[in-house]
Amino acid sequence: MNHYSWKSSYTTTALLVGSCCLLAVAAQQQQQQQQQSRSKLAGAFEFVLDFVRRKHSSHIDDDSASNKGMQVLGAGFARSGTKSTEEALKILGHKVYDTRSMLEHSEHIPRWLRAAEDYKQYHNLTELEALLKDIEAEGYTATLDFPVNLFALPLAELRPNAKVLFTVRDNEDKWFESWSDITHLMGHLICRPWKWLIGNFDFPEQLLTILEDFPRTHSQYPEHIYRPLPWFEILHHPAIVDDPGQKERWIALHQDFLKRCQQTLPPDRLLVFNVKQGWAPLLQFLGVDNDALRQQDFPNVNDRSSLQTVRWVMDVVAAGLPLWISLQTYFAYRIARCGVSMITSAAAETKKAKRA
């Protein structure tokens, strides 16, 4: 083999080995991305189904949780990284109370409304304190998300050792855009057939009106809701974000609420937190010393694409509701008929055996 052939063969072999290595790395990265996508999608399904089931799946396996009391109070609004922050708090051992918890403990909803009225009119915290004690007795150690965030300051007054976490996005325009997106995506929960399962879901708006004097809006048929089938509705125009002037009102509320928190709370009790900052500021704020966790990626859940997929699936299920009911009825009939046939056959065999 001449010198040129040797170099050519060596180069070809090196290229093949290098290509195989690159393909292996690419395949591994693709597999990791697919696993992350599946994990996000599963999390999105769980999040949405929590509303339908009226059950918050967040929990911790800590028998001493009920003795910890409320430690973290979320002041940030929805779509400011609250669900990613919830995952982080769960990793740190917290049990988080949010809107899904209110639905799960439906008896709490009228108490939240009474507590809001008492606090707004008389600065009376009696009802809120009683409710907070019951929540703590259930093992909850943190609150997050809208509308529970509206109670951040009175709750901080009742629990002076609790830290207040105000989650934010890069700017208010991006936050409202995301808030509007999630309102459109999750709007099907106030439409047929899902509202038949969930029931009345206007208490967040009621609390917003009571505590912040926010103009009351409610999406109604046919102005905001399209009904292509008697059992299937689509929210095409959510009043709470799409009505004229709503963007300006929401951004003004966001800015004013943040300002009030900053003016009321000392710096060591308030953290304005963007999930892009990662673990470090959150761990420092909560007094958690965990270098290994600090180096990890911060949780990222409930991305728009996953929620869009969930919405599409639920729309298909809702639109085909009579078909699913018919299939369920048919299979139940077939199973019952099969059972009756087996019982009849067994009885006939027994009767035949006795005659013999």
Side-chain angles (χ1 to χ4, degrees):
M1 181 181 292
N2 59 35
H3 182 66
Y4 176 79
S5 298
W6 178 84
K7 288 179 65 177
S8 177
S9 299
Y10 181 81
T11 303
T12 301
T13 303
L15 287 173
L16 287 173
V17 172
S19 299
C20 290
C21 291
L22 289 174
L23 286 172
V25 171
Q28 184 179 12
Q29 290 179 343
Q30 184 178 13
Q31 185 178 9
Q32 290 176 348
Q33 290 175 352
Q34 289 175 347
Q35 289 176 347
Q36 291 175 353
S37 297
R38 286 194 294 267
S39 177
K40 287 182 179 180
L41 186 58
F45 268 106
E46 182 181 56
F47 170 68
V48 176
L49 290 177
D50 277 350
F51 285 92
V52 177
R53 297 176 300 185
R54 301 176 67 92
K55 181 176 177 60
H56 192 171
S57 57
S58 173
H59 70 281
I60 54 174
D61 299 321
D62 187 352
D63 295 335
S64 64
S66 59
N67 298 323
K68 291 181 178 179
M70 197 60 64
Q71 300 176 349
V72 181
L73 302 171
F77 288 85
R79 300 309 293 171
S80 62
T82 49
K83 289 298 170 283
S84 297
T85 303
E86 178 186 343
E87 288 300 309
L89 291 176
K90 287 165 63 177
I91 292 172
L92 295 176
H94 288 281
K95 184 177 181 180
V96 179
Y97 187 100
D98 66 359
T99 313
R100 292 166 293 169
S101 310
M102 297 173 77
L103 288 170
E104 180 178 0
H105 303 281
S106 57
E107 71 279 5
H108 288 178
I109 294 175
R111 298 179 65 186
W112 281 111
L113 292 169
R114 288 197 301 270
E117 292 279 5
D118 290 348
Y119 176 72
K120 183 66 175 181
Q121 294 184 20
Y122 313 109
H123 198 82
N124 186 334
L125 297 174
T126 304
E127 179 65 34
L128 183 61
E129 185 169 19
L131 178 57
L132 178 57
K133 288 180 179 179
D134 289 344
I135 291 171
E136 290 173 328
E138 294 285 340
Y140 291 99
T141 58
T143 65
L144 275 180
D145 223 331
F146 175 78
V148 189
N149 71 309
L150 301 176
F151 290 89
L153 289 177
L155 288 174
E157 187 176 342
L158 290 171
R159 295 294 180 268
N161 293 325
K163 299 292 186 72
V164 178
L165 188 62
F166 201 117
T167 49
V168 296
R169 293 178 74 93
D170 294 339
N171 57 63
E172 283 88 0
D173 286 326
K174 286 187 176 181
W175 165 72
F176 182 80
E177 181 182 351
S178 182
W179 173 225
S180 179
D181 282 346
I182 195 65
T183 303
H184 282 82
L185 286 174
M186 297 287 289
H188 62 297
L189 296 178
I190 66 169
C191 298
R192 298 179 180 180
W194 306 111
K195 72 175 183 180
W196 293 335
L197 296 175
I198 299 174
N200 190 5
F201 196 58
D202 66 346
F203 63 89
E205 297 174 14
Q206 293 182 54
L207 290 171
L208 183 63
T209 301
I210 295 170
L211 290 170
E212 300 296 333
D213 298 320
F214 202 85
R216 181 79 180 274
T217 57
H218 188 64
S219 299
Q220 297 179 340
Y221 172 82
E223 183 180 359
H224 306 97
I225 296 173
Y226 172 55
R227 188 179 295 166
L229 297 167
W231 61 86
F232 177 48
E233 295 177 337
I234 299 173
L235 179 64
H236 64 86
H237 177 64
I240 197 169
V241 293
D242 281 1
D243 279 0
Q246 288 297 81
K247 178 179 180 179
E248 292 74 16
R249 293 189 188 100
W250 275 107
I251 290 179
L253 172 62
H254 187 283
Q255 293 173 339
D256 179 67
F257 197 66
L258 175 57
K259 184 178 179 180
R260 273 183 280 154
C261 288
Q262 291 172 326
Q263 291 176 341
T264 305
L265 299 165
D268 63 332
R269 289 196 67 194
L270 175 66
L271 175 66
V272 180
F273 177 63
N274 188 324
V275 295
K276 291 182 179 180
Q277 296 173 288
W279 280 102
L282 181 62
L283 294 177
Q284 182 179 357
F285 179 63
L286 298 179
V288 177
D289 185 13
N290 190 326
D291 290 333
L293 191 58
R294 188 178 288 106
Q295 301 303 320
Q296 295 181 16
D297 292 334
F298 200 80
N300 179 18
V301 298
N302 281 0
D303 61 300
R304 192 186 191 284
S305 60
S306 297
L307 289 172
Q308 182 68 61
T309 302
V310 175
R311 168 64 186 272
W312 180 83
V313 171
M314 294 185 74
D315 280 350
V316 171
V317 172
L321 184 62
L323 174 62
W324 316 132
I325 294 176
S326 299
L327 287 174
Q328 183 179 3
T329 304
Y330 171 75
F331 285 120
Y333 166 75
R334 295 292 298 178
I335 292 172
R337 185 174 179 179
C338 182
V340 170
S341 178
M342 291 175 63
I343 293 172
T344 303
S345 297
E349 290 292 334
T350 303
K351 188 175 181 180
K352 184 177 180 181
K354 287 182 178 180
R355 287 179 178 176

